[in-house]
């Protein structure tokens, strides 16, 4: 069998996962609908005062994004695990880390990117200013890939366990706290008239760190879970 | 003279050693705890600003220190188990987790008890409190992951990986929470710069030593149970006098 170049492998895996996701569009949509619903429930819970909602907006959107990415993480490896594809992937003479990275990228495109695109609409519901909205989108754009990547470690560790979904959230949510802090911090900074550069730089740094380490760690986790 | 450094890295031999070591740590734990309570309640003077309430720190500070140290030691053992595939290291890691979680909980609980009279609130979103809470979550995640995998070897390795990822994340979480808090407001209250009274120091450090001893005793006792549970089908366990009864 021909050994693919690393970028070739990445494109192949991403394309395959995207095609699979498009065949099962309901899964993608439920995550998005969940996101919209959670965000819409907050004003019902805390009252319709615009001042308060404007203050809460970034936090609510970020927490909702965090929760909905947890929701879809369970599916990251489970379908491939159940039908034996994952085992074949691990036997293949290709870099498992790259394969995993491909799956992370595809997962983000399916479950993270729609949230980012949906966020401005929801932000307008919370009466966010245009500036704050722009920063929110940028921070989500930098932050949601980290959620997919860190979450993949948890998904690999809890592969095939009973009650995996709840356990997954228990493992991954504490690790995602820095992303939440810097993501919402950036929006608050712009609302207070401060610079967003430190928050964005830190988010970017976390993204790079995650990009370097998480594929390898996830590959190790998969090896542990599959042996 | 060749010393076999790895003699006690086998569960078989360590089981006996742990049994012999337990009293050597348990008795000092009780004595030190007694001394600390005596100094803390009878000798240490009343604090000028905080009144009698400050005495909570005699347990609060040692519990916080222990909860953080134990996580790092646990992650170290877990890493050893993952890298060298030594069974005992993984058993030590899983034996430590409940004690660490207990200390994190005690630290939060006593912090709340102290916070109510001093700050007027059970809970303040202070950087230290928040990161201690997250530490408790990390412990619970470790324990939950270990408990939900049936195969003990896979459980060891999976939770070891989680502990390592967690320990890499701990500094990031700590600093992010710290910056998050300073963005909102300055630290509500700080330990005053004045040096502590000598009796207060004594009470705190003896309690710290007692907590260390207690943690070691609990870990050894728990690791003995884990060894027995995992090796229950082996010959040496069935030949143990306490098992044969």
């Amino acid at each position: 069998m021909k050994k693919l170049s690393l970028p070739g492998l990445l494109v192949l895996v991403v394309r395959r996962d995207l095609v699979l996701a498009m065949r099962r569009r309901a899964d993608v949509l439920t995550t998005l609908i969940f996101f919209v619903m959670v965000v819409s429930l907050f004003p019902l819970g805390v009252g319709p005062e615009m001042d308060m909602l404007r203050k809460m907006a970034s936090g609510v959107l970020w927490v909702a994004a965090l929760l909905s990415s947890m929701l879809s993480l369970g599916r990251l490896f489970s379908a491939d695990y159940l039908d034996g594809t994952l085992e074949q992937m691990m036997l293949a003479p290709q870099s498992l880390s790259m394969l995993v990275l491909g799956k992370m990228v595809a997962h983000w495109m399916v479950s993270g990117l729609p949230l980012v695109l949906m966020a401005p609409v929801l932000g307008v519901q919370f009466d966010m200013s245009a500036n704050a909205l722009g920063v929110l989108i940028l921070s989500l754009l930098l932050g949601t890939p980290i959620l997919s990547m860190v979450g993949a470690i948890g998904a690999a560790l809890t592969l095939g366990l009973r009650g995996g979904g709840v356990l997954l959230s228990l493992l991954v949510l504490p690790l995602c706290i820095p992303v939440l802090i810097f993501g919402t911090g950036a929006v608050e900074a712009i609302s207070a008239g401060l610079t967003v550069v430190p928050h964005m730089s830190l988010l970017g740094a976390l993204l790079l760190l995650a990009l370097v380490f998480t594929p390898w760690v996830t590959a190790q986790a998969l090896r542990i879970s599959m042996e | 003279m060749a010393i076999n450094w790895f003699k006690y890295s086998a569960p078989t031999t360590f089981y006996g050693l742990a049994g012999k070591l337990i009293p050597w740590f348990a008795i000092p734990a009780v004595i030190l705890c007694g001394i600390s309570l005596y100094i803390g309640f009878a000798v240490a003077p009343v604090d000028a600003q905080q009144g009698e309430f400050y005495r909570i720190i005699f347990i609060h500070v040692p519990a916080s220190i222990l909860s953080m140290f134990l996580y790092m030691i646990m992650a170290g053992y877990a890493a050893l188990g993952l890298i060298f595939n030594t069974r005992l290291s993984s058993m030590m890691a899983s034996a430590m987790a409940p004690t660490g979680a207990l200390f994190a909980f005690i630290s939060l609980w006593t912090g709340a008890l102290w916070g109510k009279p001093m700050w007027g609130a059970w809970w303040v979103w202070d950087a230290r409190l928040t990161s201690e809470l997250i530490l408790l979550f990390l412990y619970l995640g470790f324990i939950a992951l270990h408990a939900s995998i049936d195969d003990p070897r896979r459980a060891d390795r999976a939770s070891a990986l989680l502990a390592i990822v967690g320990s890499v994340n701990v500094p990031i979480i700590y600093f992010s929470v710290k910056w998050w808090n300073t963005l909102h407001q300055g630290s509500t209250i700080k330990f005053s710069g004045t040096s502590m009274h000598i009796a207060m120091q004594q009470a705190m450090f003896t309690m710290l030593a007692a907590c260390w001893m207690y943690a070691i005793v609990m870990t050894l006792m728990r690791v003995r149970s884990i060894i027995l549970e995992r090796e229950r089908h082996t010959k040496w366990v069935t030949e143990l006098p306490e098992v044969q009864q």
Side-chain angles (χ1 to χ4, degrees):
Chain A
M1 187 181 151
K2 182 169 72 93
K3 193 163 163 57
L4 283 164
S5 69
L6 287 181
L9 177 65
L10 187 67
V11 171
L12 194 72
V13 176
V14 172
R15 190 184 292 157
R16 169 183 176 273
D17 274 25
L18 287 182
V19 169
L20 280 177
M22 280 305 113
R23 300 272 155 84
R24 268 176 271 156
R25 257 172 247 146
D27 285 358
V28 182
L29 281 177
T30 36
T31 313
L32 192 61
I33 294 168
F34 176 81
F35 177 64
V36 175
M37 269 188 179
V38 170
V39 173
S40 311
L41 284 178
F42 268 88
L44 299 176
V46 299
E49 291 86 13
M50 274 305 175
D51 280 340
M52 189 167 59
L53 289 183
R54 205 176 302 127
K55 265 191 198 157
M56 287 175 36
S58 63
V60 170
L61 276 150
W62 256 104
V63 171
L66 203 59
L67 292 180
S68 39
S69 85
M70 289 305 116
L71 204 64
S72 56
L73 271 176
R75 289 196 302 270
L76 184 54
F77 297 113
S78 65
D80 285 344
Y81 171 68
L82 288 176
D83 66 10
T85 317
L86 194 60
E87 216 170 333
Q88 297 304 316
M89 284 180 170
M90 294 180 67
L91 289 173
Q94 315 284 357
S95 157
L96 184 58
S97 303
M98 210 54 172
L99 247 151
V100 166
L101 182 63
K103 291 190 83 67
M104 289 168 174
V105 172
H107 176 263
W108 176 72
M109 288 169 83
V110 169
S111 70
L113 199 56
L115 305 190
V116 179
L117 297 177
M118 201 62 188
V121 182
L122 296 169
V124 168
Q125 277 193 320
F126 281 72
D127 196 29
M128 289 176 82
S129 67
N131 268 344
L133 261 182
V135 171
L136 176 71
I137 293 164
L138 203 60
S139 73
L140 279 171
L141 212 50
L142 281 173
T144 44
I146 309 176
L147 304 185
S148 291
M149 287 192 277
V150 174
I153 302 175
L157 285 175
T158 56
L159 201 57
L161 300 182
R162 7 177 190 89
V166 185
L167 184 64
L168 177 63
S169 312
L170 196 67
L171 304 185
V172 175
L173 284 176
L175 301 177
C176 289
I177 287 168
V179 182
L180 174 70
I181 289 175
F182 296 132
T184 52
V187 182
E188 269 173 38
I190 193 82
S191 307
L194 301 169
T195 170
V196 297
V197 174
H199 292 98
M200 289 301 178
S201 309
L202 282 164
L203 266 183
L206 287 180
L207 178 60
L208 289 178
L209 264 178
L211 200 60
V212 173
F213 289 110
T214 55
W216 183 75
V217 175
T218 309
Q220 296 304 318
L222 279 178
R223 289 209 175 93
I224 290 171
S225 295
M226 297 289 292
E227 72 187 13
Chain B
M1 187 178 84
I3 303 171
N4 183 6
W5 293 103
F6 298 106
K7 185 181 174 198
Y8 290 110
S9 62
T12 323
T13 44
F14 189 75
Y15 178 82
L17 178 70
K20 285 196 197 95
L21 283 178
I22 285 174
W24 291 96
F25 289 102
I27 295 165
V30 174
I31 295 172
L32 284 169
C33 183
I35 294 173
S36 168
L37 287 177
Y38 172 72
I39 301 176
F41 282 111
V43 181
V46 176
D47 188 84
Q49 294 166 7
Q50 306 183 9
E52 298 284 357
F53 294 115
Y54 88 94
R55 293 185 203 275
I56 293 172
I57 67 159
F58 294 144
I59 182 64
H60 176 70
V61 173
S64 314
I65 293 175
L66 261 272
S67 66
M68 289 172 210
F69 265 105
L70 284 180
Y71 191 86
M72 294 324 268
I73 299 173
M74 185 185 87
Y77 268 119
L80 273 181
L82 193 62
I83 296 165
F84 298 111
N85 217 2
T86 45
R87 284 178 302 157
L88 187 60
S89 316
S90 310
M91 291 179 191
M92 285 295 277
S94 45
M96 243 172 229
T99 307
L102 174 73
F103 276 120
F105 182 74
I106 291 176
S107 160
L108 288 170
W109 186 268
T110 53
L113 289 179
W114 183 80
K116 186 62 184 167
M118 299 314 300
W119 292 342
W122 293 108
W123 183 263
V124 175
W125 287 99
D126 171 74
R128 290 185 198 203
L129 273 75
T130 315
S131 32
E132 188 70 35
L133 183 66
I134 297 167
L135 187 66
L136 180 62
F137 291 158
L138 290 178
Y139 272 120
L140 295 181
F142 180 90
I143 296 170
L145 181 63
H146 202 284
S148 63
I149 304 178
D150 291 329
D151 172 23
R153 294 299 292 148
R154 184 188 158 187
D156 281 345
R157 293 159 66 82
S159 48
L161 197 71
L162 183 72
I164 295 167
V165 172
S167 64
V168 171
N169 223 299
V170 160
I172 301 178
I173 293 176
Y174 179 73
F175 282 107
S176 64
V177 170
K178 208 171 160 182
W179 291 329
W180 160 74
N181 184 266
T182 46
L183 267 180
H184 283 244
Q185 60 182 73
S187 199
T188 315
I189 205 162
K190 288 190 185 112
F191 281 101
S192 49
T194 54
S195 58
M196 277 173 95
H197 190 276
I198 187 76
M200 296 182 192
Q201 283 185 20
Q202 283 168 351
M204 206 164 81
F205 286 120
T206 41
M207 188 54 95
L208 180 61
C211 284
W212 268 114
M213 299 293 162
Y214 168 79
I216 294 170
V217 170
M218 290 319 288
T219 307
L220 290 178
M221 284 170 74
R222 212 173 279 122
V223 86
R224 269 166 67 93
S225 309
I226 294 174
I227 290 174
L228 281 186
E229 192 192 347
R230 297 230 188 137
E231 311 259 302
R232 63 185 178 277
H233 301 303
T234 57
K235 188 154 172 284
W236 73 269
V237 169
T238 51
E239 282 170 355
L240 283 173
E242 59 261 44
V243 175
Q244 280 179 336
Q245 280 164 15

